[in-house]
Amino acid sequence: MAKNNITPFRKNRKVGNHRADVNAPQSTSHRHRMGRDRGIPTAIVWAAVVGVAGWLFLDRNGHLDNIAVFAKAPSNDTLSASFLFCGNNRRMNCVVDGDTFWFEGHKIRIADIDTPELSPPRCEAERIKGEAAKSRLLMLLNAGKFSLSARF
C-alpha cells in the first residue's frame, strides 16, 4: 500500500481563546455558530441598556408624567358647567385669563399653554391679546362637555 493516499486526521483542540490566529483552524460552521450564540445575549444586554437610559432621560426631564397622563386620560368628555369671567367674589366656574380657570372651586392651570398676561399687562397690545385669549377660553369651556386630567 502506498502511503501517499492517506490523509492524516486530527481533531481540533478546544481552547478558551477563539481567535483564528491563535488556535488550530476550526471549521467555518463552528465559528459562525459561536458568533451567533454570543450575539443574541449581547443584543439583549444592549437593548436593556438603551431602554434604561431612555427611561432615566425621560424621567429626569419630566416626560414620563406626560406619557402617564396621556395613558390615563378619560376616553369621553363627561364634565360641563356654565362659566363666567372671574370677578372679586367667590371663584366658582369662572375664567381668570387665557390659560387659567376655576372649576367647582379648584383652580385649573392649562398645561403647556401660555397666553398674554392680564394682571398686569406690560403694554396695550398684550392686554388686547390677553383679553382675546380669555374670551376664547370662556367660549371653549361653555361650548359643551369636557374632560380634565391631572399632571404632576
Side-chain angles (χ1 to χ4, degrees):
M1 270 195 160
K3 291 186 176 184
N4 296 349
N5 294 338
I6 298 174
T7 306
F9 174 78
R10 188 171 73 189
K11 188 175 182 180
N12 289 336
R13 294 180 303 150
K14 291 187 178 180
V15 180
N17 192 344
H18 294 290
R19 292 190 341 205
D21 60 336
V22 174
N23 293 334
Q26 296 177 348
S27 71
T28 309
S29 63
H30 182 69
R31 276 196 303 247
H32 289 302
R33 191 170 48 240
M34 291 292 289
R36 193 170 356 124
D37 291 343
R38 285 184 295 184
I40 292 173
T42 303
I44 292 170
V45 169
W46 275 110
V49 168
V50 169
V52 169
W55 178 74
L56 289 173
F57 174 78
L58 290 173
D59 187 43
R60 179 173 286 157
N61 293 325
H63 297 295
L64 286 180
D65 296 335
N66 295 347
I67 294 168
V69 168
F70 180 72
K72 292 189 262 184
S75 60
N76 54 2
D77 297 335
T78 58
L79 304 172
S80 66
S82 178
F83 287 87
L84 302 170
F85 291 123
C86 292
N88 294 332
N89 55 355
R90 185 172 163 229
R91 297 196 170 197
M92 187 70 127
N93 301 339
C94 63
V95 175
V96 176
D97 58 21
D99 53 20
T100 309
F101 64 96
W102 286 77
F103 178 63
E104 296 180 351
H106 299 284
K107 184 177 181 180
I108 309 293
R109 171 75 166 87
I110 301 173
D112 301 329
I113 293 180
D114 188 22
T115 60
E117 292 301 320
L118 291 173
S119 58
R122 287 178 275 172
C123 62
E124 183 62 18
E126 184 176 36
R127 186 192 67 74
I128 292 170
K129 290 178 182 179
E131 290 292 338
K134 181 179 176 179
S135 296
R136 178 68 176 148
L137 180 57
L138 178 72
M139 189 171 70
L140 290 171
L141 289 171
N142 285 328
K145 293 185 177 189
F146 59 91
S147 60
L148 297 174
S149 58
R151 177 177 146 187
F152 298 101

